[in-house]
Structures are given as C-alpha cells and as structure tokens.
Amino acid sequence: MCGIVGGITNTDITPLLLDGLNRLEYRGYDSSGLVLLTKNNKLTRERAVGKVINLEKKLKLKTNRIEGKTGLAHTRWATHGEPSDKNAHPHISKNSISVVHNGIIENYTDLKKLQVDQGYKFTSDTDTEVIAHAIDFFMQSSNSLLEAVQKSLKKLKGSYGLGVISSKHPDTIIAARKGSPLLIGIGKNGNYIASDQMALLTVTKKFIFLEEGDVAELTIEKVTIYNEKGD
Ligand code: GLU
C-alpha cells in the first residue's frame, strides 16, 4: 500500500500534488501518477514508472502545462499487474470517473468478468480498475457521485484508501477508507485528502482521520463524512 494525495482548491493544485508525492516518497513505491480536472472539466492524466522526478519530467515536456483546481495523485506499490505506465494510478473509466487506490480488491476477478459483459474495456492489469468502472456503472442510474461510490463500495471485498473525481461533478471529491489509512486536510483555500498527513503539511495542519468504513464528500468549502451505515 502506498501513497495518496488530492484536493479541491481555488488555485492550480498541480504543485501541491507533486510536492505531496515527493513527501510520500519515503514509503517506497514503483510508479506515480496524477489526474486533474483541466479546462472544460476534462480528466487529464500523466503517469510514470520509477521516481516522482520521472513524472515531473514528463509533465515539463508537455507543451500545454497541465493545470486544474481539482486533482488526485498516487504513488503505487504494485500488487496486481507489473509496475508500468498503464498499471500506474490514477485509473479512468469512460473519460468520466478517475480513482486512486491503496490496498487490494480481493474479488476483482469476479467483478472484472461482470464488467466485461457490461461492455467495459480494461486498459490495465490492476485490481483497482474495477472500482472506476463500478462507479461509472452506478452513475448511469444516479446523479450523485457520493451515492455511486457508496453503492460501488458495497460490491468490493478487500481493503481500500480511495480518492475519486468525476468530470460530471467537478466540484466534488469523494474519499473512502477501509483497511488502509486516509485523512482529510482542512485548508484555507480548499479541502484535501491524503494517506499520510506528511503530504499536506504545506497547506494545513488541521486533519480529520477517517474511521473504518467512512466515506467523505469534499467540496471547496465543506466536508461531510458518512459512516458505513450512511449516517
Ligand atoms: N492493488 C493496487 C495495484 O496494484 C494498489 C497498490 C497500492 O496500494 O499502491 O495497483
């Protein structure tokens, strides 16, 4: 299990995500990546094998700087699928849902079979990708990202620290915790998530540690936490 950092702010969040990844490096990892909601709420992603500096180099090579006020970043320690660009997080379903995940989804083979039948195309060998597709599936019958994530979590067996964003709900981040730590950082210019408070020390020292089974909904000015029962 490795690192997660993310947030929703009123300025470009890219520098904070990269700084957070660098602060999480001490944990060891094999690849890293980030996703941002860029112009017109498009999910824009970059990933790289090896050190965070490789990701930074890739981002610098882009002619158009990747900028966004909402984003997620991840350092991966591969459990399912070799360390590679395509297996690095964030994972994306149908250009609409993006997730970063720490932990292991034990029933991913069954979920994958079901999702292939539902028409989902898999672009990685990870257990994580089923989470993105499950959320996309439930979004088809719901207008609430929170609700779609809660329904998806009920289908998962295993452990997760999770961050989710959606191109259709650019003003929200959903976070969840079960068997893998996750915390919320309350900042002056926005709200944040991380697997370790080290990642957020430049923006806040106010933290809420999620409890087992909690799901959190973050907007720029508000954080709401639901327990496993949905209360
Ligand atoms: N099981 C996931 C994967 O292999 C997440 C690994 C992690 O916690 O970094 O991609």
Side-chain angles (χ1 to χ4, degrees):
M1 282 175 210
C2 238
I4 289 176
V5 57
I8 179 159
T9 66
N10 56 14
T11 51
D12 178 28
I13 198 165
T14 321
L16 171 74
L17 295 181
L18 290 170
D19 179 71
L21 289 181
N22 279 303
R23 287 168 180 271
L24 293 171
E25 277 204 300
Y26 77 97
R27 296 179 60 88
Y29 61 100
D30 54 54
S31 50
S32 67
L34 57 75
V35 65
L36 291 152
L37 279 172
T38 53
K39 220 170 163 217
N40 302 325
N41 298 325
K42 189 174 174 289
L43 288 170
T44 304
R45 167 176 68 176
E46 193 58 81
R47 300 176 287 180
V49 174
K51 294 281 168 202
V52 173
I53 185 107
N54 298 347
L55 178 68
E56 289 171 325
K57 277 184 196 154
K58 269 191 168 176
L59 289 168
K60 277 192 191 124
L61 287 175
K62 298 245 171 221
T63 31
N64 293 324
R65 199 169 162 261
I66 300 188
E67 262 183 25
K69 296 174 180 173
T70 300
L72 300 170
H74 188 257
T75 49
R76 175 175 187 240
W77 188 288
T79 65
H80 295 69
E82 57 169 17
S84 63
D85 282 6
K86 73 166 188 174
N87 287 336
H89 300 208
H91 291 287
I92 294 181
S93 180
K94 295 204 175 159
N95 293 322
S96 157
I97 300 290
S98 187
V99 304
V100 288
H101 165 229
N102 286 346
I104 292 174
I105 304 307
E106 285 155 15
N107 61 336
Y108 86 98
T109 319
D110 292 343
L111 291 173
K112 190 167 176 172
K113 267 190 209 133
L114 185 79
Q115 292 174 345
V116 167
D117 289 345
Q118 287 165 345
Y120 285 98
K121 302 232 171 344
F122 279 74
T123 57
S124 80
D125 308 315
T126 63
D127 51 335
T128 298
E129 196 177 343
V130 296
I131 309 175
H133 297 319
I135 299 168
D136 180 77
F137 178 80
F138 285 115
M139 281 301 293
Q140 288 166 23
S141 54
S142 168
N143 194 30
S144 158
L145 183 60
L146 171 73
E147 207 177 280
V149 173
Q150 284 170 322
K151 285 182 183 163
S152 303
L153 296 180
K154 290 206 172 78
K155 304 284 177 199
L156 305 180
K157 291 200 178 91
S159 59
Y160 48 79
L162 192 68
V164 183
I165 59 172
S166 162
S167 58
K168 295 186 184 118
H169 295 270
D171 46 7
T172 313
I173 293 184
I174 306 292
R177 174 203 170 141
K178 195 173 209 175
S180 188
L182 205 72
L183 56 88
I184 311 289
I186 312 286
K188 278 204 190 85
N189 301 314
N191 291 311
Y192 308 89
I193 63 168
S195 52
D196 178 330
Q197 65 219 73
M198 284 285 287
L200 297 176
L201 287 180
T202 54
V203 280
T204 187
K205 295 200 169 46
K206 273 196 213 161
F207 300 107
I208 303 171
F209 295 84
L210 292 185
E211 287 175 16
E212 283 296 285
D214 281 354
V215 179
E217 183 177 47
L218 287 77
T219 64
I220 194 156
E221 68 265 314
K222 193 165 133 193
V223 175
T224 316
I225 301 174
Y226 301 86
N227 64 17
E228 206 159 4
K229 289 189 213 146
D231 296 332

